[in-house]
Amino acid sequence: MANLKVLDMTGAEVGTIELADSVFAIEVNAAVLHAAVRAYLLNQRQGTQSTLTRSEVSGGGKKPWRQKGTGRARQGSTRSPQWTHGGVALGPKPRSYRTDLNKKVKRLAMKSALSAKVLANELVVVNEIVATEYKTAVMAKMLKALEAEKKALVVLSEKNEMVVKSLGNIAGVKIAYVNTLNVYDILNCNKLVVVEAAAKKIEEVYA
């Protein structure tokens, strides 16, 4: 079992937590992580880029000059791609970049990402994160105590509006829940701060 310290909001150790090796201590699979990150980034693309072809730009209905006898190259339209204001040849059109991974690969990628964070000592387990008022300073102080003030992903077990809004004002901090956690966000943060209850839920889901 992976043994991790449990800290409080002041950074003091208040206990330990045992987490399943099958989730937090597997051999990191770099190929699967690459596939998961690539799929995530592709799925963020809207695919709405579009250019006008020669049939879609306005004008060009009249042949600019007669076919023969002018000494110039033959032209049928002023909206061919080689003309100024002409259409774009082979330009991008709206398309879907959507791709998917099978369930086994997704699970393996998530376990690899979590294990990579444990291996790099970048996973911090907090007993609880509480807020009695909307105070960004309190959350900033907590992150500093946890050495996670640069770029942190905070995983909560349940929604707490005061915590969410207090953390939301801090640059570089992203909030997630067990059901919204993804491989890209885990790998993209310097510190993964997980509430103890959320760590147990993650273990239940992926063990």
Side-chain angles (χ1 to χ4, degrees), residues 178-193:
V178 176
N179 61 339
T180 63
L181 202 55
N182 66 74
V183 172
Y184 177 80
D185 285 341
I186 292 172
L187 297 178
N188 194 39
C189 67
N190 291 336
K191 285 279 185 178
L192 178 61
V193 180

Side-chain angles (χ1 to χ4, degrees), residues 40-41 44 129 139 142-143 148-157 163-178 180-195:
Y40 176 84
L41 292 175
Q44 302 308 299
I129 299 176
M139 294 299 152
M142 176 196 75
L143 291 174
E149 66 268 32
K150 282 188 179 177
K151 197 173 184 182
L153 176 64
V154 181
V155 184
L156 304 174
S157 57
V163 172
V164 170
K165 289 199 172 181
S166 298
L167 283 168
N169 290 329
I170 304 171
V173 174
K174 192 166 183 179
I175 300 152
Y177 304 96
V178 176
T180 63
L181 202 55
N182 66 74
V183 172
Y184 177 80
D185 285 341
I186 292 172
L187 297 178
N188 194 39
C189 67
N190 291 336
K191 285 279 185 178
L192 178 61
V193 180
V194 186
V195 175

Side-chain angles (χ1 to χ4, degrees), residues 1 13 17 30 52 104 108 113 117 119 146 154 191 196:
M1 299 290 278
E13 186 178 340
I17 183 173
L52 298 179
K104 283 184 179 179
L108 181 58
K117 284 297 173 187
L119 202 62
L146 299 174
V154 181
K191 285 279 185 178
E196 189 174 4

